[in-house]
């Protein structure tokens, strides 16, 4: 039978393993000015701070300084550590005001060689003197003392150092979970400082003497690196999945788990370290979302099989928004990000329409196959199963399981889609039940001689209970549509009862004839034989469900009352005296009590039949035409199908009524009582001459 796919049971919510948010193992190098970097060689020293003034004593002093040996690295980095914050003071990643022209430096700047060596060793502290060096260059260009060639040479050195700094800082941020928190804060502080310098440069006057190098947009480069990291993480080949999953299902499950675990790591471990202006959660979330959405968008461009259509819908409409975006650890953080859906609404509607069409076709095919297999068992004289002493068929269970699984599948996407498919499934179920009834009728007609015929009839009647219970309770179908839906089952049950009772009623026919053959000479004895015959046959129906055995007993009850009335209406008995009529009335009343007691004791709930014979007995007993009219009027309200023909047949027993009296009594049925058509038939089943 149709089985729901079980691979979508929610994404795991375990704590992320440290380092799972690693960025690409071989990160792409950010653009660097390699030529400028080569110019910053060991023989190029930083020009003196007084470069561009006229030669003289100042130049001699500069030459003397040039002859001095360069300061050692330890002495150089003492410049960077001056004024170091004590524990508890604002860290390097925290926003600061715009730096001063000489940001945090009290002594002479280190040489290009020293800065290059420091940056190559990953010393991010070199960022501050490098910024000071850039500003000194800008000041020199603004002063106008230096030549153009000299400015270009000095700027190329600065840009080469910035390329090193950029690669170092962004390299740290590429694998933020693999570095110490303090080093991560340093890298963040470098990027934040560069963003502030970009804003300062944009607000201040530029100089045409230098090439434009700002804004550097390192924050934008960081975001680009985040996107590359997300793509690398999501594109990794997943481990082998559980058996039965398609390759696409394995890939999507890998992407969902990766995104959820990585974003949880970002929220728990990176957000406390990153400055607010980085928007670290939003940056990572948007990058993962864009990659996920791109995979879905690429997939829908192709012709999708049914399984892939369902997978895309369940991810776009359920798993992604519910198990990832609104998961307990991420919901509060991602609410303000506004990631949106993985697919546009129009595309989702198209996929939903395709899904509903696919499911309707599948359900129709599966139900038809189940009915065909079941009908083959009947035709092959296969005995039905016995369950709790009742004949049992799996057909109802199979059909309802097919329908329920299709409904649950749609609900696993969205409750709204579950509501939509419910109407589709009810239409298909109604068609199946009509086909079921036709198939069963063919079996009743063609297979009467099979040894398991009666057992299979009872098994199919018992099926009606499962269908009816499911429709009333689980599907909660309103009463009017339910009646239409279960109409074929009512016909199936009725035809089944007729088939089961046919031989019994054939056995009763000669016994009922004895009423008229003996001119009602000994009606109690005749009825006793009828009741005994029915009693002997009742165990044949014990394998029906209790409710259906009671309904079948109602059919027997109706048959006994109907046949008794038919015998009274044969016009073969005419009683001319009141005493004869009263004696017959007593016999009828006694017989009515026996029939009612026997049928009620054996489960009949047809209380509507109780007045049928006693009232006829009263009509026969009464002699006053006016009193008879009252009884007839009352009787007609109980049995609206009681006609003048039926009344004439009963009045024919009363041989002492004149023609005018009979006509007057009959006229009471001309009065319109505005009674609707009877829900149950009695006299419409009785034909009189």
């Amino acid at each position: 039978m149709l089985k729901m796919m079980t691979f979508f049971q929610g994404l795991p919510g375990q704590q992320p393993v440290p380092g799972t948010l690693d960025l690409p193992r071989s990160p792409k190098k950010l653009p660097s000015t390699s030529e400028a970097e080569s110019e910053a060689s060991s023989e190029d020293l930083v020009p003196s701070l007084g470069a561009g003034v006229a030669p003289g004593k100042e130049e001699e002093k500069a030459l003397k300084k040039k002859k001095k040996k360069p300061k050692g690295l330890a002495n150089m980095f003492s410049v960077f550590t001056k004024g170091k914050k004590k524990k508890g003071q604002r860290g390097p990643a925290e926003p600061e005001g715009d730096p001063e022209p000489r940001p945090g430096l009290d002594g002479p700047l280190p040489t290009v060689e020293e800065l290059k060596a420091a940056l190559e060793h990953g010393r991010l502290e070199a960022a501050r003197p490098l910024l000071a060096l850039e500003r000194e260059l800008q000041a020199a260009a603004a002063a106008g003392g230096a030549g153009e060639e000299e400015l270009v040479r000095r700027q190329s050195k600065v840009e080469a150092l910035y390329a090193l700094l950029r690669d170092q800082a962004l390299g740290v941020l590429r694998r933020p979970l693999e570095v110490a928190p303090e080093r991560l804060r340093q890298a963040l502080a470098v990027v934040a400082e560069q963003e502030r310098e970009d804003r300062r440069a944009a607000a201040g006057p530029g100089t045409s003497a230098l090439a434009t190098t700002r804004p550097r947009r390192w924050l934008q480069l960081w975001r680009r690196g985040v996107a590359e990291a997300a793509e690398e993480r999501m594109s990794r080949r997943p481990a082998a999945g559980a058996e039965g999953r398609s390759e696409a299902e394995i890939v999507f499950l890998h992407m969902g788990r990766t995104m959820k675990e990585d974003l949880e790591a970002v929220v728990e471990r990176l957000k406390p370290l990153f400055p607010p202006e980085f928007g670290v959660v939003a940056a990572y979330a948007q990058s993962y979302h864009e990659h996920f959405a791109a995979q879905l968008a690429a997939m829908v461009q192709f012709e999708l099989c049914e399984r892939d259509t369902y997978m895309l819908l369940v991810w776009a409409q359920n798993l992604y928004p519910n198990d990832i975006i609104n998961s307990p650890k991420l919901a509060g953080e991602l609410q303000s990000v506004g990631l949106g859906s993985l697919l546009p609404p129009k595309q989702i509607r198209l996929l939903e329409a395709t899904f509903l069409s696919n499911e309707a076709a599948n359900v129709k095919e599966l139900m038809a196959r189940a009915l065909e297999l079941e009908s083959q068992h009947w035709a092959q004289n296969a005995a039905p199963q016995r369950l709790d002493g009742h004949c049992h068929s799996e057909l109802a269970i199979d059909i309802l399981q097919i329908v329920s699984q299709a409904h649950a599948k749609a609900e696993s996407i969205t409750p709204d889609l579950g509501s939509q498919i419910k109407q589709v499934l009810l239409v298909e179920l109604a068609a199946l039940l009509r086909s079921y009834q036709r198939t069963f009728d063919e079996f009743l007609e063609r297979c009467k001689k099979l040894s398991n015929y009666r057992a299979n009839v009872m098994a199919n009647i018992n099926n009606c209970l499962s269908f009816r219970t499911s429709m009333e309770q689980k599907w909660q179908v309103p009463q009017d549509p339910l009646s239409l839906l279960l109409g074929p089952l009512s016909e199936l049950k009725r035809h089944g009862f007729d088939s089961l009772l046919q031989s019994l009623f054939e056995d009763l026919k000669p016994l009922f004839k004895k009423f008229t053959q003996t001119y009602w000479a000994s009606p109690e004895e005749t009825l006793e034989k009828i009741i005994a015959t029915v009693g002997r046959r009742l165990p044949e129906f014990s394998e029906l469900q209790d409710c259906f055995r009671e309904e079948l007993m109602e059919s027997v009850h109706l048959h006994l009352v109907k046949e008794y009335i038919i015998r009274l209406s044969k016009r073969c008995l005419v009683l001319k005296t009141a005493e004869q009529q009263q004696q017959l009335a007593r016999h009828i009343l006694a017989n009515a009590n026996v029939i009612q007691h026997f049928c009620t004791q054996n489960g009949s709930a047809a209380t509507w039949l109780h007045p049928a014979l006693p009232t006829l007995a009263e009509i026969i007993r009464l002699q006053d035409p006016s009193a008879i009219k009252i009884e007839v009027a009352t009787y007609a309200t109980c049995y609206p199908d009681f006609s003048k023909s039926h009344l004439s047949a009963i009045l024919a027993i009363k041989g002492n009524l004149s023609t005018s009296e009979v006509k007057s009594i009959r006229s009471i049925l001309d009065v319109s009582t505005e009674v609707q058509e009877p829900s149950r038939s009695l006299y419409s089943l009785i034909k009189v001459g």
Side-chain angles (χ1 to χ4, degrees):
M1 299 310 305
L2 181 67
K3 296 189 180 296
M4 283 289 291
M5 290 187 290
T6 57
F7 65 91
F8 298 123
Q9 298 178 349
L11 299 176
Q14 67 266 26
Q15 294 291 336
V17 179
T20 56
L21 197 66
D22 58 337
L23 300 170
R25 297 298 180 188
S26 301
K28 299 178 181 178
K29 291 289 288 180
L30 289 169
S32 61
T33 52
S34 55
E35 294 180 1
E37 193 175 328
S38 63
E39 288 188 35
S41 60
S42 58
E43 63 184 18
D44 290 321
L45 302 180
V46 178
S48 66
L49 297 178
V53 297
K57 293 183 179 180
E58 294 297 325
E59 186 179 20
E60 292 176 2
K61 291 180 181 179
L63 292 174
K64 289 180 181 179
K65 286 183 181 180
K66 193 172 183 178
K67 293 178 181 179
K68 292 182 180 179
K69 294 182 179 179
K71 295 181 175 66
L73 282 179
N75 187 31
M76 179 192 75
F77 286 115
S78 67
V79 175
F80 303 152
T81 56
K82 284 185 180 182
K84 186 175 181 181
K85 303 292 182 184
K86 295 182 180 180
K87 188 175 181 180
Q89 289 181 313
R90 187 169 55 193
E94 295 176 337
E96 299 176 2
D98 286 347
E100 297 298 324
R102 293 288 303 275
L105 301 175
D106 295 331
L109 290 174
T111 66
V112 169
E113 182 182 52
E114 289 169 335
L115 287 175
K116 181 174 182 290
L119 290 172
E120 287 176 342
H121 284 82
R123 303 299 296 271
L124 298 179
E125 299 92 332
R128 300 303 296 278
L130 177 55
L131 178 58
L133 184 61
E134 179 186 13
R135 291 188 179 179
E136 291 294 340
L137 174 62
Q138 293 170 349
E148 181 178 351
E149 183 177 346
E150 173 66 13
L151 291 175
V152 170
R153 189 176 69 85
R154 290 174 59 182
Q155 186 177 26
S156 67
K157 295 174 185 177
V158 169
E159 292 307 308
L161 293 175
Y162 265 121
L164 288 175
L165 177 62
R166 179 195 61 203
D167 289 348
Q168 287 291 343
L170 295 183
V172 170
L173 297 184
R174 280 182 177 276
R175 291 185 173 83
L177 296 179
E178 295 181 1
V179 298
E182 186 58 34
R183 181 159 178 80
L184 178 60
R185 288 191 182 95
Q186 283 184 326
L188 291 170
V190 169
V191 174
E193 185 175 54
Q194 290 301 311
E195 285 295 303
R196 289 193 297 273
E197 190 66 13
D198 281 350
R199 292 193 296 271
R200 191 189 72 83
T207 173
S208 59
L210 296 174
T212 302
T213 57
R214 289 192 182 276
R216 300 187 187 278
R217 297 189 176 91
W218 285 11
L219 189 59
Q220 183 176 327
L221 293 178
W222 167 74
R223 291 195 179 101
R224 189 182 304 166
V226 169
E228 292 172 357
E231 181 179 0
E232 190 275 337
R233 288 279 297 159
M234 299 278 273
S235 300
R236 286 182 181 177
R237 184 173 182 82
E243 187 177 353
R245 289 179 182 163
S246 69
E247 183 177 353
E249 290 163 359
I250 294 172
V251 168
F252 274 66
L253 189 58
H254 160 74
M255 289 195 299
R257 283 176 171 165
T258 300
M259 180 175 180
K260 183 178 181 182
E261 293 173 1
D262 287 4
L263 290 185
E264 286 176 351
V266 169
V267 169
E268 293 174 0
R269 301 173 60 186
L270 296 187
K271 185 185 177 185
L273 301 176
F274 274 66
E277 61 264 27
F278 276 69
V280 62
V281 175
Y284 275 95
Q286 288 167 351
S287 295
Y288 280 84
H289 173 83
E290 288 170 3
H291 181 83
F292 214 142
Q295 300 308 304
L296 268 73
M299 195 167 180
V300 297
Q301 300 305 314
F302 298 94
E303 185 174 352
L304 299 173
C305 66
E306 295 175 13
R307 189 165 178 171
D308 287 343
T309 298
Y310 170 70
M311 180 196 68
L312 291 178
L313 281 173
V314 84
W315 272 104
Q317 297 284 75
N318 182 4
L319 296 181
Y320 185 79
N322 295 327
D323 290 0
I324 299 179
I325 304 303
N326 288 315
S327 63
K329 293 182 179 179
L330 300 178
E333 299 292 338
L334 300 182
Q335 187 174 9
S336 60
V337 178
L339 295 178
S341 174
L342 288 175
L343 288 171
K346 182 179 180 180
Q347 187 67 60
I348 289 176
R349 287 194 297 271
L350 290 174
L351 289 175
E352 287 179 342
T354 302
F355 170 79
L356 292 174
S357 177
N358 290 341
E359 288 305 304
N362 287 338
V363 165
K364 183 177 182 178
E365 180 183 354
L366 290 171
M367 291 193 300
R369 190 184 306 166
L371 177 58
E372 181 181 1
L373 290 174
E374 183 70 13
S375 63
Q376 288 175 0
H377 292 160
W378 310 335
Q380 294 167 1
N381 198 31
Q385 302 177 41
R386 261 69 177 184
L387 184 64
D388 298 330
H390 302 127
C391 293
H392 176 71
S393 166
E394 293 287 320
L395 179 62
I397 295 174
D398 291 344
I399 295 298
L400 293 171
Q401 185 178 24
I402 292 168
V403 174
S404 296
Q405 286 181 343
H407 183 242
K409 189 176 179 181
E411 282 198 321
S412 72
I413 298 173
T414 62
D416 179 65
L417 196 60
S419 298
Q420 291 182 49
I421 203 172
K422 181 177 178 179
Q423 305 307 315
V424 175
L425 295 175
L426 289 177
V427 170
E428 295 299 333
L429 180 58
L432 181 279
L433 294 179
R434 290 192 295 270
S435 178
Y436 180 25
Q437 181 203 335
R438 291 192 297 269
T439 305
F440 182 68
D441 285 346
E442 292 174 4
F443 165 72
L444 292 178
E445 185 66 28
R446 298 177 182 178
C447 303
K448 291 180 180 180
K449 295 183 179 180
L450 296 178
S451 58
N452 287 308
Y453 174 79
R454 293 175 64 83
N456 277 314
V457 170
M458 286 188 280
N460 280 282
I461 292 174
N462 288 339
N463 267 338
C464 297
L465 179 61
S466 299
F467 281 118
R468 187 173 68 193
T469 302
S470 179
M471 293 301 101
E472 290 175 346
Q473 297 179 4
K474 181 177 180 180
W475 288 78
Q476 298 178 345
V477 180
Q479 189 59 43
D480 289 344
L482 180 64
S483 300
L484 294 174
L485 185 65
L486 299 183
L489 293 179
S490 299
E491 287 298 301
L492 182 150
K493 180 182 62 177
R494 185 172 65 83
H495 296 170
F497 283 167
D498 291 345
S499 176
L500 293 176
L501 293 171
Q502 184 176 7
S503 62
L504 170 61
F505 292 167
E506 289 292 332
D507 292 345
L508 295 179
K509 188 177 292 186
L511 295 176
F512 273 106
K513 285 183 178 180
K514 286 186 178 181
F515 282 117
T516 52
Q517 290 170 350
T518 61
Y519 296 97
W520 299 85
S522 54
E524 287 84 1
E525 181 181 340
T526 302
L527 184 62
E528 185 178 337
K529 292 179 181 179
I530 292 172
I531 296 299
T533 301
V534 175
R536 286 193 303 271
R537 299 290 297 274
L538 286 182
E540 297 177 9
F541 314 113
S542 61
E543 290 184 310
L544 285 171
Q545 292 284 353
D546 293 346
C547 61
F548 295 129
R549 193 164 62 249
E550 292 170 1
E551 286 188 50
L552 181 133
M553 195 62 214
E554 290 183 23
S555 297
V556 172
H557 192 172
L558 173 62
H559 183 78
L560 296 180
V561 171
K562 179 193 72 173
E563 289 298 317
Y564 197 97
I565 294 173
I566 289 173
R567 292 302 136 186
L568 281 175
S569 304
K570 286 296 183 180
R571 298 177 184 268
C572 59
L573 181 65
V574 178
L575 304 175
K576 294 188 177 293
T577 67
E579 184 178 350
Q580 290 174 324
Q581 294 171 18
Q582 290 169 1
Q583 183 179 6
L584 177 61
R586 286 193 294 271
H587 286 314
I588 295 172
L589 188 59
N591 289 344
N593 289 334
V594 171
I595 293 173
Q596 178 179 327
H597 176 73
F598 172 77
C599 292
T600 302
Q601 191 176 40
N602 283 281
S604 172
T607 56
W608 66 280
L609 289 171
H610 292 175
L613 295 178
T615 305
L616 290 182
E618 185 66 7
I619 291 172
I620 294 171
R621 185 188 70 82
L622 291 172
Q623 301 301 308
D624 180 18
S626 297
I628 294 174
K629 282 184 179 181
I630 295 174
E631 286 298 323
V632 170
T634 304
Y635 197 62
T637 59
C638 295
Y639 305 101
D641 53 353
F642 182 61
S643 68
K644 287 184 178 182
S645 298
H646 297 115
L647 177 58
S648 296
I650 298 301
L651 292 179
I653 298 173
K654 299 173 70 65
N656 58 352
L657 286 176
S658 66
T659 303
S660 61
E661 287 174 332
V662 171
K663 185 176 181 180
S664 177
I665 294 171
R666 280 168 47 92
S667 68
I668 195 67
L669 295 180
D670 292 331
V671 179
S672 175
T673 56
E674 298 183 359
V675 177
Q676 296 179 350
E677 286 295 317
S679 58
R680 303 180 182 93
S681 298
L682 173 58
Y683 280 93
S684 58
L685 304 175
I686 300 171
K687 294 181 179 180
V688 293

